[in-house]
Amino acid sequence: MNLSRIIATAAIRGAHSIVRRAEEKLKSAMEILGATHPVELPNTGYYLPVIYGITGRKVTRLSDMEPILALANELLPPLPAETRWTPYLGPVLDAGMATLFAEEIIEALRYATGPSPAGGIWLGAADDVILRERGIEFVDGRAPGFAAVVGSAPDTPTAVKLAREMQQKNLYVFMAGQANGTSFAEQLAAADVQLGWPTRLVPFGEEVYAHIYSLGFATRVALSFGGVTPGDYRRVLLYNKNRVFAFVLALGPVTDEWYATAAGALNFGFPVIADTDIPEILPYGICTYEHVVARVPHEQIVARAVEVRGLKVPAADVEVPVAFGPAFEGEIIRRNATFVEIGAGRSTAFELLVTRPMGEVEDDRVRVIGPDLDQLNEGDTLPLGLVIEVAGRKMKEEFEPVLERRLHYFVNYLEGVVHIGQRDIVRIRVSKKAFAAGLRLHHIGAVVVNRVKAEFGSLVDKVQVTLYTDPEDALAEQEKARAVYRRRDERLGSLTDEAVDVFYTCSLCQSFAPSHICIVTPERLGLCGAVNWLDARASYELKQAGPNQPVVIGTCIDGVRGQYTGVNAAMQRFTQGKITSLSLYSMMEDPMTSCGCFEAIAAVLPEANGIFIVNREYAGDTPLGMRFSTLAGMVGGGEQTPGFMGLARAYILSRRFIQADGGLARVVWMPHQLKEYLKTGLIRRGAEIGVPDLIDRIADETVGTAVDGILSFLEKTEHPALSMEPIM
C-alpha cells in the first residue's frame, strides 16, 4: 500500500467518525433544547470562527448547524474500501476540512449543552480580548508562531523539557488531545508548570477536537488583522500559510481522528511533525516544505519543526542559570513560592535609565552595591535601585524613557522573576526555585546589559548597570531619579503637533492588515496604545528600514480636521493607493484606519448628538446594541469607516481628540471601568474645556445601555453634547 493511501485511509476514516459524532450530538441537542436554541463561543464576534471564516455562514442557533454538516458530508470522500487511490492529497484535504467543521460543532455544542469545554486546567475557546492581546505579539515578532501539540510525551521530564524549549523560542504552545492515557498539558500540570495564556502554554481541551480552537485562533487572525472577508476561504488559508507560522507536534500513537484533524491543519499550511513512525509527505504543489515529518527524536523535534516551518526565532544569548524569553513574561509567583520581594510599598524600589558621556560608562560592568540574594533569608524584603547608564553617539536624552520602559520586559523574561510597574513604583518577586537554581541580582544586571545592547545597538555603544540594595544608598539614588522623572514629564507634556515638522508611520500591523497604517503624532499615539511619537522616532533611529518611517507634514490643508499634504501622500504610498486622505482629528471624515489592535472603539450615537467609547475589556452591550467584538468587525481590517474609529485609551485625553467633531465634550457614554482608568485625566481635561464635572455627566452601564435611559441621564446632567451642533 503506498504512503498516500495509508494516510488517506486513516484520515478519511477518522473524518467520517468525527462527522457522525457531530451529527449524533446535534440531533440529541435539538431534541432536548429545540432548533432555535442559541449557540456561541464565549465573547467573540466571529461566531464559530472556522466555519464563519471558510464559508461565511453565521452559526447562531442549533438549526444553523444542519447545513454545515450537510456541507461536511459533501466534502467527505467515500470510505477507503469504496474508491480507487492515486497519490493525490485532494481527498485528504477535503476530509480535513469536513473534520474541522464537525469538530467546531462538537465543541460549540458542549458550550450549549454541557459539560463546558472549559474547566480544571482546560481553557476552552479564546475570546476576542485574548485575540487582540496575543495577536499583537505575532505582529511585532515577540511570538514567531505557535505549536499545536496533540498527545503526550513519553514521560513528564521530557514534556517539561519540550515545553521549556518552545517557550525559550518564544512560541505559543496550544495543547489538546491525549495519548497513552494522559495529555501533554496534564504532564506539565503534574510537574507544577504554570499553564495559561500569560506563559504561552495554552491547554484548550482534553480531546483532539479542541484543537479547533487553535485553528479558530488562526482564522480570526486572518479576519481581524488581515482584513479577509468571511467566506473567502482561499485568502483565509493562504493568509495563514504565508503569515501565521504554525505547526502540529504529534506526540504518541497517531489515531484516525488525529490523522483527520492533522489533515484539517494541512489546509492551513501547518505541517505535522511526529515522534512516531507514520508515513511522510514531501513538498507538494506550491508548498516548499514537508507536509508530514516522522520519527523525529524528542531532543531534535522542536528544532526540526522550526526548520520545516521556516520560523524566524530570535536567539536568546543570555547566560543565566534559569530559562529566559518572552514566554515567562506572564509568569505568576505566589507569596508562598517567593524567596524575596522587592518594593511593593514595603521598601525603596525604582529603575532609571540615563545617558552619560562616553568616558563615564564602563561597558558591560554590573555592580551590586549592598547585599545580593545569597546574603538574604527567605521571606526578606529588599530595597533596590536599578540604575542603567548608557553612552552612544546617537543616543539622545529623549530616548531614555523609551529604553527604560523595556526594562519591564527584560526582567520579566527571566523564569522565576516577576516585575510589575515602572519608575519608582516597581515591584519584583524572585521565586524559591530561581534562587535555588543559582539566580542572583547580578544576573538581572547582566540581562539588562545584554538586551539593551541587542535591541538598541544602533543608539547605544556602552552600557553599565548598578543595583543599589543598601537601604540608604537606594533611598538617596531614588531622589535623584525622581528629579529626572519630573524633567521628563515637563518635556513630554509640552510636546505638541505644532512643535514638530515630522510625524511617523507605524506599520507593525501591516503584515496582518495590508491597507492599514498608523500616523503617530506627539498628540496622537498609535491605536494599540504601545507606540508614541518618541517611541516611533527612537525606532526609526534604531532601524531606518523598520516599521516607523518619518512623514514630512507638508502644507496644512485644514488645521481643524488635521489634513496635511505630506500625511495624505504618505497614506497613499503606504496603503498602495487604497487610502488617499486622512483627517487626524476627525472620526466623521476620512478617519484613521484600524487593523484590529485598538484598545477601544469610538462610535457615533446619533440620538444623543455625541459618541460613545467602549474598551476591549468591557464584555457587555453598548448603546448600539452590539458588543465590542461585533463593533471590532466593523472597524478593523484597514478600512475607513466614518462614525467609527479604533483608538488608544490615552488618546481620549489628548486635546486633539476628534477636535473637528467637538472633542471630548462629545463623549456621552463609556464603561465605568474605562472612566475609572482615565479618571484623573478626564477631570483635568474637563476643567480645561470648561466642564470640570464632565466625568459625572458621562453615562455608563450603571445608567444603562438603552438610548432612552441614556438620554434621560444626559438631560438631567445637562451634558454639553445636547446643545452642540449636530454631529451628523
Side-chain angles (χ1 to χ4, degrees):
M1 182 180 287
N2 64 44
L3 299 184
S4 297
R5 182 165 183 178
I6 293 173
I7 292 176
T9 299
I12 294 171
R13 191 166 54 226
H16 276 267
S17 172
I18 293 171
V19 171
R20 297 291 85 80
R21 181 170 180 176
E23 290 174 332
E24 292 168 4
K25 286 186 171 293
L26 177 58
K27 180 181 178 182
S28 175
M30 291 181 69
E31 289 174 352
I32 296 171
L33 301 174
T36 60
H37 188 79
V39 291
E40 64 176 357
L41 300 183
N43 300 318
T44 177
Y46 296 95
Y47 308 96
L48 304 189
V50 171
I51 292 171
Y52 184 50
I54 298 299
T55 71
R57 300 181 187 182
K58 302 175 182 178
V59 175
T60 61
R61 54 188 181 180
L62 292 177
S63 60
D64 295 333
M65 293 179 168
E66 291 182 305
I68 302 300
L69 285 177
L71 176 58
N73 276 297
E74 290 178 18
L75 288 171
L76 276 179
L79 286 167
E82 303 171 20
T83 187
R84 297 174 60 188
W85 296 100
T86 61
Y88 172 55
L89 278 180
V92 176
L93 298 179
D94 288 345
M97 191 58 70
T99 298
L100 300 186
F101 292 164
E103 288 180 333
E104 196 159 47
I105 285 173
I106 289 171
E107 290 297 303
L109 287 171
R110 292 185 64 188
Y111 276 107
T113 65
S116 171
I121 66 170
W122 307 112
L123 301 182
D127 62 28
D128 285 346
V129 172
I130 290 174
L131 174 70
R132 182 263 174 185
E133 291 175 346
R134 304 298 161 175
I136 290 178
E137 296 178 12
F138 287 88
V139 174
D140 64 19
R142 283 179 287 163
F146 71 77
V149 179
V150 59
S152 62
D155 52 60
T156 296
T158 301
V160 174
K161 182 177 181 297
L162 292 175
R164 292 307 190 209
E165 186 177 357
M166 288 185 279
Q167 283 181 302
Q168 287 195 269
K169 293 184 183 299
N170 303 342
L171 298 168
Y172 274 86
V173 183
F174 296 157
M175 296 168 277
Q178 291 189 330
N180 301 317
T182 189
S183 68
F184 193 72
E186 289 169 317
Q187 289 177 312
L188 298 181
D192 201 27
V193 174
Q194 289 186 22
L195 304 178
W197 286 98
T199 59
R200 303 192 181 194
L201 300 174
V202 184
F204 281 134
E206 190 171 10
E207 296 184 271
V208 69
Y209 311 140
H211 264 309
I212 195 64
Y213 300 132
S214 303
L215 295 169
F217 184 90
T219 302
R220 283 188 288 168
V221 165
L223 300 179
S224 177
F225 298 107
V228 179
T229 303
D232 190 348
Y233 70 92
R234 294 181 187 276
R235 285 188 63 204
V236 169
L237 300 179
L238 286 173
Y239 186 94
N240 276 278
K241 174 183 176 294
N242 296 326
R243 300 191 180 188
V244 180
F245 294 94
F247 56 86
V248 177
L249 208 61
L251 303 176
V254 179
T255 67
D256 288 353
E257 293 192 346
W258 284 25
Y259 272 116
T261 304
L266 291 179
N267 280 282
F268 285 73
F270 301 165
V272 179
I273 317 299
D275 62 354
T276 54
D277 188 10
I278 63 174
E280 295 185 320
I281 304 178
L282 298 177
Y284 174 86
I286 63 171
C287 191
T288 58
Y289 50 82
E290 298 100 317
H291 291 74
V292 179
V293 181
R295 302 176 300 281
V296 183
H298 295 113
E299 60 270 18
Q300 301 173 15
I301 197 166
V302 174
R304 185 76 173 98
V306 168
E307 175 192 347
V308 169
R309 191 61 178 95
L311 274 70
K312 299 185 184 302
V313 178
D317 54 349
V318 186
E319 294 186 9
V320 290
V322 295
F324 179 84
F328 301 101
E329 182 186 338
E331 188 178 11
I332 296 172
I333 300 176
R334 306 293 183 190
R335 183 173 295 278
N336 61 2
T338 300
F339 175 75
V340 68
E341 187 162 37
I342 296 165
R346 290 187 289 275
S347 67
T348 301
F350 73 94
E351 55 197 20
L352 176 72
L353 186 145
V354 291
T355 307
R356 301 292 189 208
M358 197 74 71
E360 295 182 13
V361 177
E362 183 178 336
D363 196 23
D364 295 335
R365 185 185 188 190
V366 176
R367 294 182 297 162
V368 179
I369 299 180
D372 206 327
L373 299 182
D374 53 0
Q375 297 171 266
L376 304 175
N377 297 314
E378 182 180 312
D380 283 352
T381 298
L382 182 71
L384 178 65
L386 179 58
V387 178
I388 299 92
E389 296 167 288
V390 302
R393 293 172 181 83
K394 294 185 178 180
M395 184 63 189
K396 300 176 182 177
E397 186 179 358
E398 56 261 39
F399 296 161
E400 291 173 356
V402 179
L403 276 64
E404 189 176 285
R405 280 196 294 274
R406 294 296 296 167
L407 299 178
H408 170 75
Y409 300 99
F410 300 158
V411 177
N412 266 325
Y413 289 173
L414 283 159
E415 180 188 13
V417 180
V418 168
H419 176 288
I420 300 171
Q422 59 181 338
R423 288 192 171 185
D424 57 352
I425 52 172
V426 170
R427 176 182 181 181
I428 298 175
R429 279 184 174 178
V430 178
S431 74
K432 297 176 186 177
K433 287 184 178 180
F435 174 76
L439 184 72
R440 302 295 181 260
L441 292 179
H442 67 84
H443 291 121
I444 294 177
V447 162
V448 171
V449 169
N450 178 284
R451 300 324 299 165
V452 168
K453 293 172 76 172
E455 294 198 14
F456 301 100
S458 63
L459 290 177
V460 173
D461 299 318
K462 300 167 71 175
V463 183
Q464 71 178 25
V465 173
T466 306
L467 300 99
Y468 295 92
T469 62
D470 178 82
E472 292 185 5
D473 288 337
L475 189 61
E477 294 298 323
Q478 180 178 254
E479 289 307 308
K480 298 177 185 177
R482 285 175 171 169
V484 176
Y485 302 152
R486 287 191 292 270
R487 290 199 301 271
R488 288 177 182 172
D489 289 340
E490 292 169 0
R491 183 177 70 244
L492 289 170
S494 63
L495 192 60
T496 65
D497 287 1
E498 298 99 328
V500 301
D501 55 9
V502 171
F503 297 155
Y504 287 90
T505 66
C506 183
S507 60
L508 275 174
C509 299
Q510 264 204 342
S511 59
F512 288 92
S515 61
H516 167 67
I517 196 81
C518 269
I519 300 295
V520 181
T521 83
E523 296 183 85
R524 181 170 187 170
L525 72 168
L527 54 84
C528 68
V531 180
N532 64 31
W533 188 83
L534 285 176
D535 296 335
R537 187 169 74 168
S539 173
Y540 178 68
E541 291 278 357
L542 289 166
K543 189 176 181 180
Q544 294 191 359
N548 303 113
Q549 294 295 305
V551 175
V552 177
I553 297 172
T555 303
C556 180
I557 300 171
D558 188 323
V560 176
R561 288 186 295 132
Q563 285 258 357
Y564 301 92
T565 56
V567 173
N568 287 345
M571 290 300 296
Q572 185 166 358
R573 181 169 73 256
F574 287 105
T575 65
Q576 294 77 51
K578 183 172 181 179
I579 307 297
T580 60
S581 181
L582 172 66
S583 296
L584 287 167
Y585 313 139
S586 173
M587 62 180 284
M588 301 303 297
E589 183 176 351
D590 299 331
M592 185 89 81
T593 59
S594 299
C595 56
C597 296
F598 36 77
E599 292 186 305
I601 295 173
V604 170
L605 190 63
E607 298 89 341
N609 196 37
I611 69 168
F612 70 85
I613 303 173
V614 56
N615 55 309
R616 190 174 290 270
E617 294 77 12
Y618 175 69
D621 287 334
T622 67
L624 284 186
M626 294 180 280
R627 296 181 181 181
F628 181 94
S629 55
T630 304
L631 289 169
M634 301 169 59
V635 177
E639 301 292 333
Q640 281 184 319
T641 311
F644 296 86
M645 184 175 68
L647 68 154
R649 291 174 297 183
Y651 176 53
I652 300 167
L653 303 178
S654 169
R655 71 187 182 101
R656 295 294 194 180
F657 174 65
I658 62 167
Q659 73 172 26
D661 311 318
L664 187 63
R666 286 287 189 188
V667 180
V668 298
W669 187 94
M670 67 171 64
H672 180 72
Q673 62 184 161
L674 183 58
K675 288 173 69 174
E676 284 298 307
Y677 179 82
L678 299 173
K679 184 176 181 178
T680 301
L682 287 173
I683 293 172
R684 172 179 55 79
R685 285 288 295 129
E688 289 174 0
I689 65 174
V691 191
D693 62 343
L694 179 64
I695 187 172
D696 298 321
R697 303 192 195 191
I698 298 173
D700 56 35
E701 71 274 22
T702 64
V703 172
T705 57
V707 172
D708 289 345
I710 293 171
L711 284 175
S712 296
F713 176 84
L714 299 178
E715 291 168 356
K716 181 180 178 180
T717 60
E718 299 182 352
H719 193 287
L722 299 179
S723 59
M724 296 172 72
E725 293 184 2
I727 193 170
M728 299 182 69

